[in-house]
Amino acid sequence: MTGTTVLRRNTMIPKKFSLPKTELHDSSQHLQFHQIASELRNRIAELRKRGPRRLSYSQTRLLKPQIFSTDGSIVLSHDVFDRFAPAYFKRSRRAVFFEKTVHLRGGRYLISANPTFEIRTKLKTYREDLEEGLNALDETRHPLFQLAIADYIKNAAVTMLNSFLQDEKVGQYKHTIISYQSARRNAIYYTQAAVNLYYGILIQDELRVKFSFQDLIKNQKPFDKMQSVILDRYREGVFSSRHITRPEATHPIVIAAAVAQFANAGSREIDLIIGMPSGSTELCFAHAFGQQIFNSNSCDIKLFPVSFHSSKNEFDRKEDMKSAFNRWIIHNSRDIREKNVLIVDDNSSTGNTIDKIRDIVDQCSPKEIHISIAEADIIRSEIDLLSSSRPNIAHKSLYDHAVNILPVSRVLKPKTDLKEILERRKMELCTKRRYLSETKNFPRTIIGNVYLDLIRESTEDVLDRLPEDGIIRKFQKTPLSNFAPVNVSYQGERFNSVEHGYQAMKFPSSTWEKVSDRHIEAINRKLSPGGERIGRKELPHLFSSQQLSAGGSKKVAKYLRQVVHVRDDWDEVKVYIMIALLIQKFSKEKFYRLLKSTGDKYLIEGNTWDDTFWGECNGRGRNFLGRSLMKIRECSIETLQVEATKIEETLI
């Protein structure tokens, strides 16, 4: 059977796709990357030449690589965009003018991967993209713009589903929670419709486009429910912006090719398709669509949300993983037993993930297991050949399932997906236009430069790059800490530290009406270890009180957030407020001198309380506070003093 390996119980060939490099000799066929790549390219050329079987010529007119950019965006000339673009793409950041062309995957499309946006903004963006997209699609006739709008709709649905399933990535499958499982089933059905819409337009299948569009527009409740659950988890403090998981970066043409290749050359009797969010969610749904198109076969979908990479800091105890997987096996065995199963993955370098998932599925007694990989991660395998951090290499046969070589940088940013590099360049462009076009607003200029720094290099990369003596990694009990006593003001109110001012701005004046005597007593129990106490009369000016320490203000705010919630626009304003307070603090000669004394050392707000926005915890975090201090460190004290005066004089 060409292009697919059938893995029957007790007759698995090969036994393992992931091979220890130490057991291979230098001339092993599994290490001949140039030969493997050459064979794969020849097969890809043959596939392109032959084209997808059972599709008419008119159905393949959008299946042209030249229509798309490296990152999967539709690319148009300025003339075509100006003449035919619907109003949907005139909205901010939906299209981006890039290198003399127009890319229809703009900054909004990339918002889940953009570290400069917070969760409420991301959720609002996806809702707008979906709702406005469905309205625009009904009015748009140009096929390229139809496809691009459907791309945004698909992106919103897939990203929300991946994020909705976040808890399952760390083994919290919630099999016994009926309401969750019901919402999950509905979310999967809705997302399948969004994927069907996109690929239906891609192959110009009007009937399936019509049915998918109707499914999406008549009942949006599954999408609303996903967003509602995510927002509730955020309010509980257990879900953050980084959990808004970006969909896989696999090119839509590559996904279409992988689907067509398996549907035409693989088994036509697939009963169940298993994908692993977030890497292969869209690929999984696309395979189900392909089975319908090419084989008139209706397949069930089973998503197994586990990441052996991105969740490593949250789900890294082997006993926890084993227990979770056993629960998954018990719950899913009945659905898998004696079924023909297809496991899909977006790309693979070591074969490790495929082996682990296959072993788990095999314990459920399927009839057959088939594998389909979209892209072979050969370049990273070659770069990492001598690296001890990646001890295994993929069996050569694993690449038989791939339809493309994952495009990876060797020079610009070694081992980084070229699609991700292009996406970052788009994010940089949008950030410059958003923050740096208005140079008179000094705090926004600082914010824009911090965001650019954050897009270009993650904190994890910094920690890998710099020696330990080139980093200051602890602000606690130092002048760099926001707890350090200093007089600052915001909107006419004076505070005893940056922390006091920042926490005060979280809550509108109406907050205090909602605080009961019971709440006050609960707050006092939290403050009692520090010998602090508050009463009702202190509430209106609680955070500017001389009696409340900086640490106390943080404890009070943390409790109030659970009781009355922060202001609705907090995610939009919190960074500006922090920068405004920091400018005032470091405009004072004492603090400016201490900040400058850190020289060119990299500043990281290391912490143990899981603050991954302002700082870094366990090697992960945006470290926005540290990055902001470094940008302020570059300014003259005269500039800071002028800007501090402006901020202090602003009452609104």
Side-chain angles (χ1 to χ4, degrees), residues 260-279:
Q261 162 71 358
F262 184 84
N264 287 314
S267 172
R268 298 186 182 181
E269 298 179 352
I270 295 298
D271 303 304
L272 179 67
I273 303 174
I274 296 178
M276 293 159 280
S278 58

Side-chain angles (χ1 to χ4, degrees), residues 381-593:
S381 295
E382 184 179 4
I383 293 173
D384 278 339
L385 182 59
L386 301 179
S387 171
S388 59
S389 64
R390 194 177 293 218
N392 285 29
I393 204 80
H395 192 286
K396 181 176 182 287
S397 66
L398 184 63
Y399 301 133
D400 292 341
H401 314 307
V403 296
N404 192 47
I405 297 171
L406 183 70
V408 172
S409 171
R410 293 178 181 270
V411 179
L412 288 175
K413 195 171 177 61
K415 298 194 292 183
T416 302
D417 190 331
L418 290 179
K419 295 186 288 293
E420 293 182 22
I421 292 176
L422 180 56
E423 287 174 351
R424 287 180 189 175
R425 289 175 64 190
K426 288 182 181 180
M427 284 189 273
E428 286 184 32
L429 185 60
C430 290
T431 299
K432 287 177 181 178
R433 289 174 178 169
R434 184 181 179 200
Y435 288 98
L436 303 182
S437 59
E438 177 54 77
T439 56
K440 293 181 180 179
N441 191 316
F442 184 73
R444 283 185 65 82
T445 301
I446 293 286
I447 293 169
N449 284 314
V450 171
Y451 280 156
L452 288 175
D453 182 54
L454 187 54
I455 291 168
R456 290 166 181 162
E457 186 173 39
S458 70
T459 304
E460 293 89 332
D461 290 341
V462 171
L463 291 173
D464 288 340
R465 175 174 60 83
L466 292 179
E468 196 62 35
D469 60 3
I471 303 172
I472 293 176
R473 204 167 175 176
K474 184 178 179 182
F475 295 175
Q476 266 187 302
K477 298 180 180 179
T478 76
L480 299 180
S481 169
N482 285 345
F483 285 22
V486 61
N487 292 324
V488 292
S489 65
Y490 199 81
Q491 294 185 346
E493 192 169 1
R494 294 205 160 273
F495 304 100
N496 300 323
S497 73
V498 169
E499 190 70 23
H500 282 92
Y502 178 75
Q503 299 298 346
M505 292 300 111
K506 285 183 178 179
F507 307 101
S509 57
S510 59
T511 293
W512 313 119
E513 300 170 5
K514 303 173 185 177
V515 178
S516 67
D517 291 341
R518 180 173 56 85
H519 294 147
I520 293 173
E521 285 307 311
I523 290 172
N524 283 329
R525 284 194 294 272
K526 294 182 179 298
L527 293 175
S528 61
E532 296 177 289
R533 185 174 181 83
I534 66 169
R536 178 165 295 280
K537 65 179 182 179
E538 284 90 19
L539 289 181
H541 302 287
L542 179 62
F543 293 102
S544 56
S545 169
Q546 294 289 335
Q547 283 71 44
L548 191 65
S549 67
S553 73
K554 187 171 184 176
K555 289 179 182 178
V556 172
K558 185 176 181 180
Y559 179 82
L560 288 175
R561 179 170 184 165
Q562 298 170 350
V563 175
V564 296
H565 305 315
V566 299
R567 53 196 275 188
D568 290 339
D569 64 347
W570 181 241
D571 283 342
E572 286 75 39
V573 301
K574 69 178 185 181
V575 171
Y576 188 94
I577 290 169
M578 177 65 81
I579 295 298
L581 294 168
L582 291 174
I583 288 170
Q584 292 179 70
K585 174 180 175 178
F586 291 100
S587 70
K588 303 179 190 307
E589 190 171 345
K590 169 189 170 183
F591 285 99
Y592 182 77
R593 191 169 60 250

Side-chain angles (χ1 to χ4, degrees), residues 15 42 48 116 120 132 146 157 168 191 207 219 259 291 315 367 385 394 400 440 453 566 578 593 596 621:
K15 269 189 173 182
N42 290 336
R48 287 179 177 171
T116 71
R120 291 177 189 268
E132 293 174 14
Q146 285 182 332
E168 296 188 34
T191 307
L207 188 60
N219 182 18
V259 166
Q291 287 294 312
F315 192 25
K367 184 178 180 180
L385 182 59
D400 292 341
K440 293 181 180 179
D453 182 54
V566 299
M578 177 65 81
R593 191 169 60 250
K596 293 294 284 186

Side-chain angles (χ1 to χ4, degrees), residues 128-178:
E128 291 171 348
D129 288 348
L130 176 78
E131 293 176 347
E132 293 174 14
L134 291 171
N135 290 331
L137 197 59
D138 201 28
E139 302 168 357
T140 303
R141 296 293 172 264
H142 194 292
L144 289 178
F145 286 108
Q146 285 182 332
L147 186 62
I149 292 169
D151 194 19
Y152 267 93
I153 293 169
K154 167 178 65 69
N155 186 48
V158 172
T159 304
M160 285 300 95
L161 178 61
N162 284 336
S163 306
F164 175 77
L165 298 174
Q166 174 62 33
D167 287 348
E168 296 188 34
K169 291 185 180 181
V170 291
Q172 298 176 28
Y173 300 124
K174 307 177 186 178
H175 292 138
T176 60
I177 302 178
I178 296 174

Side-chain angles (χ1 to χ4, degrees), residues 12 53 62 64 76 109 123 161 206-207 271 290 337-338 371 399 421 428 494 502 565 584 588 601 608 641 647:
M12 293 185 183
R53 299 173 187 174
L62 296 183
K64 309 293 184 185
L76 302 172
Y109 194 94
L123 294 178
L161 178 61
E206 293 184 5
L207 188 60
D271 303 304
R337 187 175 294 115
E338 291 303 313
I371 306 291
Y399 301 133
I421 292 176
E428 286 184 32
R494 294 205 160 273
Y502 178 75
H565 305 315
Q584 292 179 70
K588 303 179 190 307
K601 289 192 175 183
T608 57
Q641 287 172 344
I647 294 166

